[in-house]
Amino acid sequence: MPAKPTALRSDLILGIESSCDETAAAVLRGPRTILSSVIASQIPIHRRFGGVVPELASRQHLLCIDTVINDAMEKAGCRFEDLGGIAVTYGPGLVGSLLVGIQVAKGICYTHDLPMAAVNHLEGHIRSLFIENDEIPLPALFLVVSGGHTSLYLMRRDDGRYDTLARTRDDAAGEAYDKVAKFLGLGYPGGPIIDALAKHGDRKAFAFGIPRMSDRSLDFSFSGFKTAVLRHVEAAGITPLGFLDAEGKEPEAADCTKPTLDLLASFQEAVVRTLAGRTMKAAWETRAAAIGLAGGVACNSRLREVMAEEGRKAGVPVFITRPALTTDNAGMIAQAGWEHFRRGETADSTLNADPSAML
Ligand code: KG4
Ligand code: ZN
């Protein structure tokens, strides 16, 4: 495997993502054209456990990664020898799952003499915004909000470095959604289900305190919301539904009582107001010229609405991608990889998974 290519053989990058419960491959031409993007979701497998079971996840990645990659190559109409390089997620994520993607990437790179880029999953989420947007004004502030992470990063220059301004001190925002949904028996993953049901509830019905950090840092904390939900459930006598075990079926508003819908709407409002409030404070403090929203929770309809409104009020443009690029996908990994190759940064065959990689 060449250690440091001076130029790529072609502008086609194959991205591979297997950090959690999605096996994904995508072919990107240049920095912004997705020729194919294939995602095999494991949601039906993990659903009845109300969360991802790591051992099942890595086994499933092993079973389907070849098919997913071949499918992406076929849809893009190219062969491995047409590629310029391969970008693969090395962390953070589940170690067994990450290793599947890394080993397959190494194998293809070795066989076809291709350079490999090691991409941080969180960088991938940020770079998803650069697929649809040619120019994001800098310095740009990015809120990466997913099932495992809730962080604010500042990108001063387009040089691959990100300053971490805040992270969560306990649960991630997506994790809070998933745990509340599990507790209320709504199904998995909780984010999209609660997002849909919350539209039918009263956002002001239940009180949620917005946590403030005593040291005035911008860090997040979401575990208190989960505890508040438990308290409200007891006080209002709300009974959990049984949708976690129901095969693939998701609850509709008609399946829920009014207090349940109100509680979900109030919980979501508290999460969204926390995310938006902290992001706008950071944007003001850093004089950010733009704000970007990335990660699975950036699909949330209320978060998109509130962030767009807050950005308008502050006169700062807010960038959000379409949902297919927001949740885990390999197009974002290929985009980040393209930037690595552009800067001449490649990984070698000693690349290992780093489950707790920092950005
Ligand atoms: O980025 P992602 O696909 O995977 C990780 O890197 O974690 O994010 C998955 C998370 C899950 O917690 C899921 O519940 C949440 O994103 N999510 C949402 C929505 N869609 C997905 N949360 C709130 N509202 C949504 N519409
Ligand atoms: Zn992710």
Side-chain angles (χ1 to χ4, degrees):
M1 207 183 303
K4 206 169 178 17
T6 46
L8 298 181
R9 216 153 56 193
S10 87
D11 61 355
L12 296 172
I13 308 295
L14 169 67
I16 300 175
E17 156 64 38
S18 68
S19 65
C20 191
D21 59 347
E22 256 101 30
T23 319
V27 178
L28 191 76
R29 192 178 60 221
R32 299 188 52 216
T33 308
I34 294 184
L35 297 183
S36 65
S37 178
V38 177
I39 303 172
S41 170
Q42 302 180 3
I43 286 175
I45 293 167
H46 302 290
R47 196 174 186 276
R48 66 197 161 102
F49 303 102
V52 179
V53 183
E55 182 63 21
L56 292 180
S58 37
R59 283 166 194 258
Q60 193 59 27
H61 285 305
L62 263 181
L63 285 176
C64 64
I65 196 151
D66 286 351
T67 313
V68 168
I69 291 175
N70 289 334
D71 206 11
M73 295 296 290
E74 202 176 300
K75 286 196 167 106
C78 68
R79 303 159 305 167
F80 289 128
E81 45 271 47
D82 300 328
L83 293 173
I86 295 186
V88 64
T89 308
Y90 74 94
L94 302 169
V95 66
S97 297
L98 289 163
L99 281 170
V100 175
I102 292 172
Q103 297 308 339
V104 170
K106 281 184 190 176
I108 305 173
C109 286
Y110 181 78
T111 313
H112 297 277
D113 193 23
L114 286 164
M116 181 170 68
V119 174
N120 182 301
H121 182 78
L122 302 170
E123 182 186 15
H125 274 304
I126 292 176
R127 297 304 314 187
S128 69
L129 289 158
F130 291 79
I131 297 174
E132 287 184 335
N133 301 290
D134 200 7
E135 286 260 318
I136 296 183
L138 302 179
L141 178 71
F142 294 99
L143 172 67
V144 180
V145 65
S146 69
H149 296 84
T150 305
S151 310
L152 281 167
Y153 300 101
L154 188 69
M155 184 192 211
R156 295 176 198 278
R157 285 175 293 278
D158 196 359
D159 58 2
R161 282 188 309 195
Y162 306 87
D163 293 344
T164 307
L165 303 183
R167 57 181 78 243
T168 178
R169 296 202 178 167
D170 39 59
D171 293 349
E175 197 177 350
Y177 269 97
D178 295 339
K179 285 181 176 170
V180 166
K182 184 175 181 180
F183 174 71
L184 289 172
L186 301 176
Y188 175 82
I193 299 170
I194 293 180
D195 190 0
L197 294 176
K199 291 191 171 81
H200 304 273
D202 175 0
R203 298 197 281 263
K204 297 200 185 92
F206 289 87
F208 280 84
I210 307 254
R212 309 241 176 275
M213 292 300 146
S214 51
D215 56 5
R216 304 190 61 216
S217 94
L218 291 163
D219 280 354
F220 298 97
S221 167
F222 290 101
S223 67
F225 292 137
K226 191 181 58 197
T227 319
V229 167
L230 298 185
R231 232 184 24 241
H232 288 313
V233 163
E234 268 177 31
I238 292 171
T239 321
L241 299 172
F243 282 85
L244 202 56
D245 305 319
E247 202 65 20
K249 182 157 163 34
E250 289 188 357
E252 289 168 14
D255 299 313
C256 305
T257 60
K258 171 139 176 45
T260 305
L261 295 172
D262 288 348
L263 181 57
L264 294 177
S266 305
F267 158 76
Q268 169 156 287
E269 192 65 7
V271 171
V272 166
R273 289 288 166 191
T274 304
L275 291 169
R278 219 50 63 86
T279 304
M280 295 317 294
K281 186 164 185 273
W284 187 82
E285 284 179 7
T286 56
R287 302 281 181 271
I291 294 170
L293 230 63
V297 184
C299 283
N300 186 267
S301 56
R302 184 68 185 146
L303 181 62
R304 293 167 90 94
E305 193 176 85
V306 170
M307 281 305 303
E309 185 185 300
E310 293 292 325
R312 241 187 336 265
K313 275 197 255 167
V316 185
V318 175
F319 293 84
I320 316 175
T321 52
R322 65 188 141 105
L325 290 175
T326 301
T327 45
D328 287 351
N329 67 89
M332 68 186 198
I333 303 301
Q335 209 293 335
W338 168 268
E339 289 301 316
H340 284 220
F341 290 129
R342 192 176 59 82
R343 292 193 296 268
E345 295 168 11
T346 55
D348 62 28
S349 57
T350 62
L351 177 68
N352 203 353
D354 184 353
S356 46
M358 308 273 263
L359 187 54

